[in-house]
Amino acid sequence: MAIDRGLLALLEAKPGKGEELAAFLEQGRALAAEENGTVTWYAFKISDTTYGIFDTFENEDGRQAHLTGAIPAALGKVGPELLAKDPDIRPVDVIAVK
């Protein structure tokens, strides 16, 4: 398995919405588990309002399938209620994996 690409998404919750955003991210794990092309999927908290998602893929098809899949669609539905601004989503190249 050669993991060589990923996605980093940073999410800024509206004031008082951090716990709701965290709960949404916890539910996202089940959706990520259903994606064949997603190798790893992490949701994390940086501060009370800053959260993120980091996921990895073996190929571009897997990354593109994720970008057009259930998690971004669900985030699009709750985003206006929970997020202070649009997510900052960045494709990344994975240099090394343990």
Side-chain angles (χ1 to χ4, degrees), residues 16-95:
K17 296 290 186 175
E19 288 184 23
E20 289 179 57
L21 181 55
F24 168 81
L25 292 173
E26 287 177 25
Q27 294 172 4
R29 183 190 177 282
L31 297 174
E34 294 177 8
E35 296 178 347
N36 293 329
T38 301
V39 178
T40 60
W41 186 88
Y42 301 91
F44 56 90
K45 177 180 177 180
I46 297 172
S47 72
D48 288 341
T49 58
T50 305
Y51 293 78
I53 300 169
F54 178 71
D55 27 31
T56 62
F57 311 91
E58 292 181 300
N59 56 51
E60 191 59 28
D61 289 342
R63 181 159 56 183
Q64 291 304 315
H66 177 74
L67 283 168
T68 60
I71 295 171
L75 186 58
K77 291 179 184 175
V78 301
E81 178 186 337
L82 298 181
L83 300 180
K85 59 184 179 180
D86 288 342
D88 179 5
I89 300 172
R90 301 175 189 195
V92 299
D93 294 331
V94 175
I95 297 170

